[in-house]
Amino acid sequence: MMRDDMKAILYTKEEVAERVRQMGAQLTADYKGEDPILVGVLRGSFIFMADLVRCIETPLELDFVAASSYGTWAVSTGQVDLRLDLEKDIIGRHVIVVEDILDTGRTLSKLVDELKKRHPASLKLCVLLDKPERRVAQIEADYVGFTVPDEFVVGCGLDFNQKYRQLPYIGILKPSVYE
């Protein structure tokens, strides 16, 4: 049972759902009358992004990129790999990059730099979790669900070795699972 692999539940299913609803309401207000493109960073963002877009009550478009600096490791390798690019042209568009977690910031910093070269009207970053203690790149999110401690968190799209993504809560993984 995956629950047995948890050291603690950081945020319950209900707490996550309520915070995502609040974030959707904020994005609805901020982008009223606009037609933003939400860019999900695969794979981690897909569950959070699906929940989030159902809470946004303004027209929007979706696109995806794939980027990672983790591979199968529990710690960032420091090398950012962009494996899937946008299908949509973002020149003059309002772009909201959606990610599961802002950790070291390496991946998102590289991605944001790349997207800025494409001349969007605006570029904002929306993350479910922010882990500022581990930040090494100069980047901050514009929309944050929760700020988390320097623990290995999983659930709601976050994984360890491609497992635990489907958990409806944010849990802290026991070190014995990933060490």
Side-chain angles (χ1 to χ4, degrees):
M1 181 106 181
M2 289 185 287
R3 177 69 173 89
D4 296 336
D5 292 344
M6 297 304 123
K7 176 176 154 183
I9 302 301
L10 202 52
Y11 297 104
T12 66
K13 175 182 177 178
E14 294 76 19
E15 290 170 321
V16 171
E18 176 57 21
R19 184 65 187 121
V20 171
R21 187 197 62 72
Q22 292 169 357
M23 294 174 79
Q26 185 63 57
L27 287 163
T28 297
D30 290 353
Y31 289 91
K32 184 177 183 178
E34 303 294 342
D35 184 18
I37 298 176
L38 275 71
V39 175
V41 182
L42 295 174
R43 295 183 180 124
S45 73
F46 87 99
I47 291 175
F48 167 50
M49 186 167 169
D51 292 342
L52 181 66
V53 299
R54 287 191 291 259
C55 297
I56 299 173
E57 297 180 19
T58 193
L60 56 85
E61 294 181 50
L62 304 176
D63 207 340
F64 297 90
V65 295
S68 177
S69 64
Y70 284 85
T72 59
W73 300 95
V75 177
S76 175
T77 63
Q79 295 293 103
V80 178
D81 181 23
L82 296 175
R83 297 182 302 267
L84 174 68
D85 203 350
L86 295 173
E87 290 184 5
K88 298 186 181 303
D89 184 357
I90 62 170
I91 294 174
R93 299 291 305 273
H94 296 286
V95 176
I96 305 163
V97 176
V98 179
E99 178 62 300
D100 56 357
I101 189 167
L102 176 52
D103 193 346
T104 65
R106 287 184 181 113
T107 301
L108 286 173
S109 180
K110 181 174 181 179
L111 178 60
V112 165
D113 287 348
E114 176 60 34
L115 294 177
K116 283 181 180 178
K117 294 176 189 174
R118 300 175 190 193
H119 308 289
S122 68
L123 183 62
K124 302 288 183 174
L125 181 55
C126 177
V127 299
L128 178 59
L129 303 178
D130 185 16
K131 193 186 292 186
E133 290 177 48
R134 295 191 22 92
R135 195 90 73 249
V136 296
Q138 294 288 352
I139 188 167
E140 297 297 325
D142 301 284
Y143 302 92
V144 175
F146 302 100
T147 300
V148 296
D150 188 11
E151 298 271 4
F152 200 108
V153 290
V154 294
C156 299
L158 291 108
D159 74 299
F160 169 63
N161 209 13
Q162 301 301 326
K163 295 178 177 68
Y164 307 101
R165 289 189 196 278
Q166 76 272 31
L167 297 176
Y169 54 81
I170 302 296
I172 298 174
L173 202 58
K174 290 178 181 173
S176 61
V177 174
Y178 60 86
E179 289 180 339

